[in-house]
C-alpha cells in the first residue's frame, strides 16, 4: 500500500472497513415471542457502531426494522416502523457488508489507477479485458445467468466486429466474394435484456417488486411471468427451472432464490445510517446516494449488470479490439489429455468456425488507397524515384500499379471503391519483406558509397602524403643548395655537376651521424663525436708537405660537426688499416676559407696560427662544405675568392697557391708545384638548372571500390566513348492526403551571359528574306496596383508587377499569367497598362543570332517530352508564349469554394476588398488535376494549324 501511494491514515481506514465487514458477519438474529427479529448479542452491534462512528441504537434499529411511508393522493402520509423477520434482517445485513466491500474495492482500484497514471500526455491507451468463462454447472442460478449474459454481449460484439461488419464492408466496397452464413446471438441477448417484450431481467424485476416476506412466493410469480417467454425458440420453461439456449450450449437455471438475489436489499435506511456516520472515509465510499424524495424504484442487481455490460460494450465499440481465444483441452486440468469432442464444441460455440470461413472467403488485409501508397509506393519504379513519390494519376490507379509491378497474382487482391483488399496474409508479408529489403538495399548502397568515398579519400591522402614524403627532404636540401649559391655570389666558376637540377646538398655522405654503415661507425669512433651533430662528411684529399719534396695530395675523410672540423686518416700499421683522427679544428677559431675563382675543388681552411699550418683540402663538395660551415658559425667565417689561395704553411711561413687555366686537363684538376691546373668551367653567374621534366609514367587511377570505374586515360583515342545522355529526373509530388510542398527554386541561366559551347554546331545560314509579316496583336498587360498574397489556385502578386490577362470572369476574379505560371487574381487589384507606340522597323539583320540556351525550368517538367514538341523544336526555336506550351509547369487547381471571410477580406491601407464570390473553373467544367487552364485536346494533340502558322511567322 505504501508503493501505490496510500497514506497511513488511509491504510487505517481500509483496515477499519474490513473490520466492519467481518463484524457484520458476526451479527446473529433470533425470533422473539412476538414474532419479530432481535439481535442475539448487542455487544457486536455496539462495536460496529464504534467502528462506524455512530450510535449503537441506530445500528440495531436499522438491522431489525424498516421505515415505511404511506401516501394519500400524491401527498405524504404516515410513517411506520415495520419490524423485519430473521430472513429479511439477514438479507439487509449481508447487503450492507457487500456494499461496503464493493465500494471499498472500487476505491482501491481507483487509487491504483491514479498511481499508475502516466505523468505525460498520451493519445492512445491499450487496455486488457479478462472476462469470465462461460459457466455451465449442475446447479445454475442468478450468478451464472449474469455471467453468461455478459459473455453473450461480448460474443455479439465479436460477431458485429468480425463477421457482420466484414461482410457489410465487402458489399459496400463492391468486392466479389461468397457470403458465409453464421449464427447471430442477438436473439439470445434480447431474450435476457429486452423490456418490450419483457425479457428475463424484466420478469425478475416485476416479480421482485411484488415480493414480500416470503421469497418462495416471488419465485412462483417469476415462473408465471416467464411463461410468456416460451414463444422465443431459445427459451424453455420447465416448472421450477428454465432453459436458455446460449451460443455456447444449453443451460438449465434454477428459479429458487433468484428473485431474492435480484432485489436490492440495501434499503434507504441502511444508506441513511452510512450518511449519518461520523467517519468521513465511510461517507466517501458512497458518493452516489439516492434522492430521498425520489419515488423511483431503486435498481436491482439485474439492472446493474445490464448497465455495466452496456457501458463495457460502449467502451469496446470506441476502441479497436483484438481477440485472444483460449480453449481448454480437457476438464481434468491435465497436461497430457486432449478431448477432441470438447475442443470441437468450444471451437463451434466461440464462433471460430464461422470466422475462419469468412476469413478464407474474404480478405485478410484491407486499407485505403492513400495508406497503401504511403506504405508501399517505393516498390514500383512508376511511383517512386530516389525515394520521392512521382505518380501523376489518382490514388486508386497508383495503388493498382504498385500491386501489378510487385508481381502479385490478380486473384490475391481486389480494388474496392475506397480501399485495396489483400486476400492472404502471406501476400502482405511479402509486400512488407520487399519494403524492408528496399530500405536495406538503399542503406547498403549508401554505406557502400560512403565506404568508397572514404577509400577514395584515403587513397588520395596516401598519394599526397607519399609525394610529400618523397619531396619534402629534397626541398630542404634544395634550399640549402640555393643558400650555397648565394654565398659564392657569382665569384667562382662552377662545375657542371653542381648545377644539375636533381643535385641536392645531402650533407652526411659517409653516414657518420646516423652510423648506418660500417665506415661511418669507424669514422665516428675515431673522431669521438659523442653528442655532436654531424653536418657534413665526405671523402677529400689533403695537401701534405714532405721533407725535401714538393707537397702531394693524400686521401682523407673530412667531417664537419656543429663544434669542429675533423680530418680523419686511414693508415697501415702492422699490416692493418687503422683509422684515426689526424686533426681537429674548432669552429670558433676558424677565420675564413680561401678558394680560387676557377672551377677547381681546392680550399684552404684558415685556422689559428700554429706549427701545423692551415690545411689545404681538395673536396668535390666544397660548396656544400662551405654552406654548412657558414650555417654552423652563423656567417662568422670569411670566404675569400680570388686567383690565388693564401694560407699559412707553417707557423710563420705564408704560402700561396695559384690557379692556372689549362684546357689540356681532361678531368677535374691537377696540383703541381703550388699551381692548380684546371680547365674552364661554367660562368660564375650560373645557377642551378631548372627541374628536369620527369619521364611520363603510367597513370594509375584510383579504382578501389565497386562504384568507381576502372580506367585512366583512354588508349583508344580514335574512337572516344560516347557520353551517356542523362535521363530527365521526374518531379517529386506529395503523397496522397498530404499538403503540397513548396517547389524548390531551380537555377535559370541568364540569356545575356549564356554562350554557346565550343561543341555546339554552327548556326544555320540566314534564310532568304521574304515579305515582312504584320506584327502580332499586342497582348493586354496589367500591372498589380497592390501586393496580393495568393492561396492555392491563386497567383501571388507583387506591387507594380506585370501580368498577362488570360480570361475575365464576372464574379470579380480574373485568370492571369506570369511566364509559365497561371492563377486567379482579384480584378480590382489590376490596372491596364496602355500599349506603347510601335517602334520603327529595325534594319534587316545580316544573319540570325544563335539561339539562347533553353531555360532550366522548361526541362524540369514532370511529364515526359511529347513527340509533337520534339518534332517542332528540332530547329532550335522556342515556342511563342501566346501559343500552347506543352512543357510548362501545370499550375495549381483553383479552389471553387468562397473566399474565407464571407464578405471579403478587410481592407489593408487603401487596398480594395478581395471579391468574395467563388472563383469559377476555367471553361465552365471541372479543371484537370494540376492545371487551371482548359485543354482543348489531350497532350501531344494540339492545334497543328496554329502551331505551323506561328512557326512560319517566326522563320520569316
Amino acid at each position: 500500500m505504501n508503493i501505490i501511494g496510500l497514506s497511513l491514515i488511509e491504510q487505517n481506514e481500509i483496515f477499519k472497513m474490513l473490520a466492519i465487514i467481518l463484524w457484520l458477519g458476526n451479527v446473529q438474529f433470533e425470533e422473539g415471542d412476538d414474532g419479530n427479529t432481535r439481535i442475539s448479542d448487542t455487544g457486536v452491534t455496539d462495536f460496529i457502531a464504534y467502528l462506524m462512528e455512530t450510535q449503537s441504537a441506530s445500528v440495531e434499529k436499522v438491522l431489525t426494522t424498516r421505515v415505511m411511508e404511506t401516501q394519500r393522493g400524491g401527498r405524504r402520509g404516515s410513517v411506520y416502523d415495520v419490524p423485519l423477520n430473521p430472513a429479511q434482517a439477514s438479507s439487509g445485513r449481508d447487503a450492507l457488508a457487500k456494499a461496503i466491500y464493493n465500494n471499498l474495492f472500487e476505491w482501491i482500484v481507483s487509487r491504483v489507477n491514479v498511481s499508475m497514471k502516466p505523468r505525460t500526455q498520451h493519445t492512445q491507451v491499450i487496455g486488457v479485458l479478462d472476462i469470465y468463462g462461460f459457466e455451465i454447472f449442475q446447479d445454475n442460478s442468478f450468478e451464472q445467468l449474469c455471467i453468461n449474459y455478459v459473455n453473450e454481449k461480448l460474443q455479439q460484439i465479436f460477431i458485429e466486429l468480425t463477421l457482420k461488419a466484414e461482410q457489410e464492408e465487402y458489399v459496400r466496397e463492391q468486392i466479389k466474394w461468397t457470403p458465409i452464413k453464421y449464427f447471430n446471438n442477438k436473439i439470445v441477448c434480447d431474450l435476457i435484456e429486452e423490456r418490450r417484450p419483457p425479457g428475463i431481467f424484466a420478469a425478475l424485476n416485476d416479480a421482485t417488486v411484488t415480493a414480500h416476506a416470503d421469497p418462495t412466493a416471488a419465485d412462483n410469480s417469476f415462473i408465471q411471468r416467464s411463461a410468456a417467454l416460451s414463444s422465443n425458440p431459445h427459451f424453455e420453461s420447465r416448472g421450477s427451472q428454465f432453459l436458455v439456449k446460449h451460443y455456447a450450449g444449453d443451460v438449465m437455471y434454477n428459479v429458487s432464490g433468484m428473485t431474492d438475489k435480484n432485489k436490492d436489499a440495501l434499503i434507504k435506511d441502511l444508506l441513511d445510517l452510512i450518511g449519518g456516520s461520523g467517519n468521513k472515509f465511510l461517507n466517501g465510499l458512497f458518493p452516489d446516494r439516492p434522492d430521498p424524495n425520489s419515488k423511483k424504484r431503486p435498481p436491482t442487481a439485474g439492472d446493474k449488470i445490464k448497465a455495466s455490460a452496456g457501458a463495457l460494450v460502449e467502451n469496446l465499440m470506441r476502441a479497436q479490439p483484438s481477440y485472444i481465444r483460449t480453449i481448454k483441452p480437457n476438464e481434468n486440468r491435465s497436461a497430457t489429455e486432449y478431448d477432441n469432442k470438447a475442443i470441437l464444441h468450444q471451437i463451434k460455440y466461440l464462433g471460430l468456425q464461422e470466422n475462419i470461413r469468412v476469413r478464407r472467403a474474404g480478405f485478410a488485409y484491407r486499407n485505403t488507397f492513400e495508406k497503401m501508397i504511403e506504405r508501399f509506393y517505393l516498390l514500383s519504379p512508376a511511383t517512386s524515384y530516389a525515394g520521392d513519390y512521382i505518380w501523376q494519376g489518382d490514388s486508386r490507379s497508383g495503388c493498382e500499379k504498385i500491386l501489378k509491378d510487385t508481381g502479385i497474382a490478380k486473384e490475391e487482391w481486389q480494388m474496392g471503391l475506397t480501399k485495396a483488399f489483400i486476400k492472404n496474409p502471406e501476400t502482405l508479408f511479402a509486400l512488407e519483406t520487399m519494403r524492408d529489403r528496399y530500405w536495406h538495399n538503399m542503406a547498403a548502397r549508401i554505406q557502400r558509397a560512403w565506404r568508397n568515398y572514404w577509400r577514395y579519400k584515403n587513397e588520395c591522402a596516401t598519394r599526397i602524403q607519399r609525394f610529400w614524403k618523397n619531396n619534402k627532404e629534397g626541398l630542404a636540401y634544395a634550399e640549402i643548395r640555393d643558400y650555397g649559391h648565394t654565398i659564392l655570389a657569382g665569384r667562382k666558376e662552377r662545375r657542371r655537376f653542381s648545377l644539375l637540377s636533381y643535385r641536392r646538398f645531402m650533407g652526411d655522405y659517409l653516414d657518420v651521424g646516423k652510423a648506418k654503415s660500417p665506415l661511418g661507425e669507424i669514422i665516428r669512433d675515431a673522431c669521438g663525436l659523442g653528442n655532436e651533430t654531424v653536418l657534413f662528411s665526405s671523402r677529400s684529399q689533403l695537401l701534405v708537405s714532405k721533407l725535401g719534396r714538393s707537397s702531394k695530395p693524400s686521401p682523407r675523410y673530412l667531417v664537419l660537426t656543429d663544434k669542429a672540423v675533423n680530418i680523419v686518416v686511414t693508415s697501415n700499421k702492422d699490416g692493418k688499416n687503422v683509422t684515426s683522427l689526424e686533426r681537429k679544428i674548432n669552429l670558433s677559431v676558424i677565420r675564413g676559407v680561401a678558394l680560387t675563382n676557377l672551377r677547381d675543388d681546392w680550399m684552404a681552411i684558415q685556422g689559428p696560427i700554429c706549427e701545423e699550418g692551415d690545411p689545404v683540402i681538395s673536396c668535390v663538395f666544397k660548396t656544400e662544405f662551405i654552406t654548412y660551415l657558414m650555417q654552423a658559425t652563423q656567417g662568422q667565417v670569411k670566404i675569400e675568392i680570388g686567383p690565388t689561395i693564401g694560407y699559412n704553411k707553417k707557423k710563420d711561413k705564408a704560402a700561396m697557391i695559384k690557379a692556372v687555366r689549362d684546357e689540356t686537363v681532361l678531368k677535374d684538376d691537377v696540383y703541381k708545384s703550388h699551381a692548380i691546373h684546371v680547365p674552364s668551367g661554367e660562368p660564375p653567374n650560373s645557377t642551378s638548372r631548372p627541374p628536369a621534366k620527369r619521364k611520363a609514367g603510367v597513370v594509375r587511377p584510383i579504382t578501389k571500390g565497386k562504384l568507381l570505374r576502372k580506367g585512366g586515360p583512354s588508349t583508344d583515342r580514335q574512337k572516344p566513348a560516347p557520353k551517356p545522355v542523362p535521363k530527365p529526373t521526374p518531379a517529386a509530388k506529395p503523397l496522397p492526403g498530404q499538403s503540397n510542398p513548396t517547389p524548390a527554386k531551380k537555377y535559370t541561366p541568364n540569356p545575356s551571359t549564356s554562350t554557346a559551347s565550343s561543341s555546339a554546331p554552327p548556326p544555320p545560314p540566314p534564310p532568304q528574306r521574304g515579305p515582312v509579316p504584320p506584327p502580332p496583336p499586342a497582348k493586354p498587360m496589367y500591372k498589380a496596383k497592390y501586393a496580393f498574397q495568393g492561396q492555392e489556385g491563386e497567383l501571388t502578386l507583387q506591387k507594380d508587377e506585370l501580368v498577362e490577362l488570360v480570361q475575365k470572369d464576372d464574379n470579380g476574379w480574373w485568370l492571369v499569367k506570369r511566364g509559365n505560371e497561371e492563377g486567379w487574381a482579384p480584378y480590382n487589384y489590376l490596372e491596364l497598362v496602355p500599349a506603347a507606340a510601335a517602334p520603327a522597323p529595325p534594319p534587316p539583320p545580316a544573319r540570325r543570332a544563335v539561339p539562347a540556351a533553353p531555360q532550366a525550368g522548361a526541362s524540369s517538367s514532370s511529364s515526359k517530352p511529347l513527340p509533337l514538341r520534339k518534332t517542332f523544336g528540332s530547329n532550335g526555336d522556342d515556342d511563342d508564349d501566346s501559343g500552347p506550351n506543352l512543357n510548362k509547369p501545370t499550375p495549381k487547381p483553383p479552389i471553387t469554394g468562397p473566399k474565407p471571410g464571407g464578405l471579403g477580406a478587410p481592407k489593408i491601407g487603401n487596398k480594395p476588398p478581395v471579391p468574395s464570390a467563388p472563383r469559377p473553373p476555367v471553361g465552365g467544367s471541372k479543371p484537370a488535376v494540376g492545371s487551371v487552364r482548359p485543354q482543348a485536346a489531350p497532350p501531344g494533340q494540339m492545334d497543328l494549324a496554329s502551331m505551323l502558322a506561328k512557326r512560319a511567322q517566326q522563320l520569316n
Side-chain angles (χ1 to χ4, degrees), residues 93-365:
R93 175 202 61 190
D94 297 343
L96 178 61
K98 291 178 181 178
I100 296 175
Y101 183 84
N102 178 74
N103 291 10
L104 178 63
F105 179 79
E106 292 181 354
W107 184 87
I108 294 176
V109 170
S110 64
R111 287 303 306 271
V112 171
N113 291 336
V114 170
S115 64
M116 295 178 63
K117 185 178 180 180
R119 299 297 184 267
T120 58
Q121 296 182 355
H122 59 278
T123 57
Q124 295 180 344
V125 177
I126 298 178
V128 179
L129 174 62
D130 186 11
I131 62 174
Y132 292 104
F134 204 88
E135 293 187 355
I136 304 177
F137 302 132
Q138 295 294 332
D139 184 11
N140 303 290
S141 186
F142 182 74
E143 295 83 358
Q144 285 69 41
L145 178 63
C146 295
I147 293 173
N148 294 339
Y149 163 70
V150 175
N151 280 275
E152 288 283 355
K153 293 292 290 184
L154 296 178
Q155 177 67 14
Q156 185 181 7
I157 298 178
F158 176 76
I159 293 174
E160 290 285 340
L161 296 179
T162 59
L163 304 179
K164 183 179 178 181
E166 184 159 354
Q167 298 198 44
E168 290 177 353
E169 185 177 14
Y170 293 157
V171 175
R172 184 171 59 253
E173 292 288 335
Q174 299 180 6
I175 297 297
K176 298 178 181 179
W177 81 299
T178 304
I180 302 299
K181 294 182 179 180
Y182 60 91
F183 170 69
N184 192 347
N185 68 332
K186 186 178 184 302
I187 187 173
V188 181
C189 295
D190 294 342
L191 171 65
I192 299 175
E193 67 181 4
E194 275 297 314
R195 293 181 177 273
R196 291 183 181 83
I200 296 177
F201 281 157
L204 278 174
N205 292 339
D206 293 341
T208 302
V209 171
T210 59
H212 44 82
D214 187 6
T216 305
D219 293 340
N220 294 331
S221 176
F222 171 69
I223 293 174
Q224 295 177 2
R225 296 176 184 274
S226 62
L229 301 175
S230 300
S231 59
N232 194 306
H234 294 271
F235 181 85
E236 294 182 5
S237 180
R238 300 182 180 180
S240 61
Q241 297 178 336
F242 63 91
L243 181 115
V244 177
K245 297 180 180 179
H246 292 281
Y247 74 93
D250 299 343
V251 181
M252 185 70 70
Y253 296 97
N254 293 323
V255 180
S256 177
M258 190 171 288
T259 55
D260 189 51
K261 296 176 182 179
N262 181 53
K263 67 181 179 181
D264 185 16
L266 190 65
I267 57 178
K268 178 178 175 296
D269 300 344
L270 296 176
L271 294 176
D272 292 341
L273 174 66
I274 294 174
S277 172
N279 192 323
K280 296 182 179 179
F281 184 82
L282 180 61
N283 287 328
L285 295 181
F286 294 86
D288 300 328
R289 286 191 290 271
D291 186 6
N293 298 323
S294 176
K295 305 302 180 182
K296 295 179 62 176
R297 174 180 59 84
T300 61
D303 295 335
K304 294 179 180 179
I305 288 293
K306 188 167 65 172
S308 177
L312 176 62
V313 168
E314 182 180 357
N315 193 14
L316 291 177
M317 293 300 289
R318 290 198 304 264
Q320 297 179 357
S322 300
Y323 293 90
I324 301 176
R325 292 295 193 179
T326 58
I327 298 175
K328 293 174 61 177
N330 56 76
E331 296 292 339
N332 301 326
R333 299 181 180 180
S334 174
T336 58
E337 295 184 16
Y338 193 85
D339 192 348
N340 293 329
K341 185 177 180 180
I343 292 175
L344 290 175
H345 177 68
Q346 295 177 71
I347 291 176
K348 182 178 179 180
Y349 78 70
L350 287 176
L352 299 181
Q353 196 172 16
E354 291 84 357
N355 191 19
I356 293 174
R357 288 176 181 174
V358 171
R359 289 294 182 182
R360 283 182 177 179
F363 297 84
Y365 177 79

Side-chain angles (χ1 to χ4, degrees), residues 699-732:
V699 179
R700 297 177 180 178
I702 300 175
T703 57
K704 291 185 178 180
K706 295 181 180 180
L707 293 184
L708 300 177
R709 297 178 179 177
K710 299 180 180 180
S714 176
T715 57
D716 188 3
R717 301 183 181 273
Q718 302 298 330
K719 298 180 180 179
K723 296 182 180 180
V725 180
K727 298 181 179 179
T729 302

Side-chain angles (χ1 to χ4, degrees), residues 537-815:
S537 65
S538 175
R539 297 177 186 269
S540 63
Q541 289 184 336
L542 178 66
L543 191 63
V544 180
S545 300
K546 293 190 177 182
L547 183 63
R549 289 189 283 180
S550 62
S551 300
K552 190 176 182 179
S554 178
R556 295 292 188 273
Y557 297 117
L558 182 61
V559 179
L560 173 64
T561 66
D562 58 347
K563 294 182 179 180
V565 176
N566 301 272
I567 302 175
V568 181
V569 62
T570 300
S571 59
N572 191 347
K573 291 183 180 181
D574 300 331
K576 295 182 179 180
N577 293 331
V578 178
T579 302
S580 60
L581 179 64
E582 182 179 7
R583 188 173 180 181
K584 183 174 184 178
I585 305 174
N586 293 328
L587 300 181
S588 59
V589 299
I590 297 177
R591 294 179 287 109
V593 178
L595 301 94
T596 68
N597 57 0
L598 299 183
R599 52 150 287 183
D600 60 284
D601 297 330
W602 291 91
M603 61 181 175
I605 302 176
Q606 300 171 349
I609 300 176
C610 59
E611 292 295 334
E612 296 177 341
D614 295 335
V616 179
I617 301 173
S618 174
C619 180
V620 177
F621 305 116
K622 59 185 179 306
T623 306
E624 190 171 349
F625 171 79
I626 294 173
T627 301
Y628 283 108
L629 179 63
M630 291 292 289
Q631 286 185 342
T633 59
Q634 298 181 357
Q636 300 297 325
V637 177
K638 182 179 180 181
I639 307 300
E640 296 179 359
I641 300 176
T644 59
I645 297 176
Y647 68 102
N648 292 328
K649 191 173 184 179
K650 295 293 182 179
K651 181 177 181 181
D652 297 326
K653 184 179 180 181
M656 188 172 296
I657 299 175
K658 182 173 60 174
V660 179
R661 192 184 303 273
D662 188 356
E663 302 298 338
T664 60
V665 178
L666 300 179
K667 186 180 179 181
D668 296 335
D669 53 47
V670 177
Y671 174 82
K672 186 177 181 181
S673 301
H674 291 82
I676 302 173
H677 297 267
V678 60
S680 300
E682 300 293 330
N685 58 355
S686 300
T687 57
S688 297
R689 302 289 186 269
K693 186 177 181 181
R694 296 182 179 272
K695 183 179 179 180
V698 179
V699 179
R700 297 177 180 178
I702 300 175
T703 57
K704 291 185 178 180
K706 295 181 180 180
L707 293 184
L708 300 177
R709 297 178 179 177
K710 299 180 180 180
S714 176
T715 57
D716 188 3
R717 301 183 181 273
Q718 302 298 330
K719 298 180 180 179
K723 296 182 180 180
V725 180
K727 298 181 179 179
T729 302
K733 293 187 61 181
L735 289 171
Q738 298 182 1
S739 59
N740 293 331
T742 303
K745 295 184 178 179
K746 298 186 178 181
Y747 170 72
T748 303
N750 189 356
S752 60
T753 60
S754 300
T755 58
S757 62
S758 59
S759 61
Q768 296 181 359
R769 186 178 180 186
V772 179
K779 303 172 185 176
M781 301 298 293
Y782 284 78
K783 182 176 67 174
K785 297 189 293 184
Y786 314 99
F788 174 71
Q789 183 64 32
Q791 301 178 1
E792 185 177 3
E794 300 172 359
L795 186 64
T796 300
L797 300 177
Q798 302 295 333
K799 187 178 179 180
D800 298 330
E801 188 176 15
L802 295 179
V803 293
E804 177 186 352
L805 179 62
V806 178
Q807 178 184 346
K808 292 184 178 182
D809 200 271
D810 298 332
N811 62 351
W813 291 93
W814 287 1
L815 184 64

Side-chain angles (χ1 to χ4, degrees), residues 23-73:
W23 279 93
L24 282 174
N26 296 332
V27 176
Q28 300 295 328
F29 299 100
E30 59 183 8
E31 187 175 359
D33 297 337
D34 53 356
N36 298 330
T37 300
R38 63 184 181 186
I39 299 175
S40 301
D41 186 3
T42 57
V44 177
T45 56
D46 294 341
F47 191 72
I48 292 174
Y50 165 74
L51 295 176
M52 297 179 64
E53 299 181 16
T54 186
Q55 299 295 327
S56 177
S58 300
V59 175
E60 184 176 354
K61 179 181 178 182
V62 166
L63 294 177
T64 57
T65 61
R66 179 180 181 183
V67 177
M68 299 290 293
E69 181 180 357
T70 60
Q71 295 183 2
R72 294 181 180 178

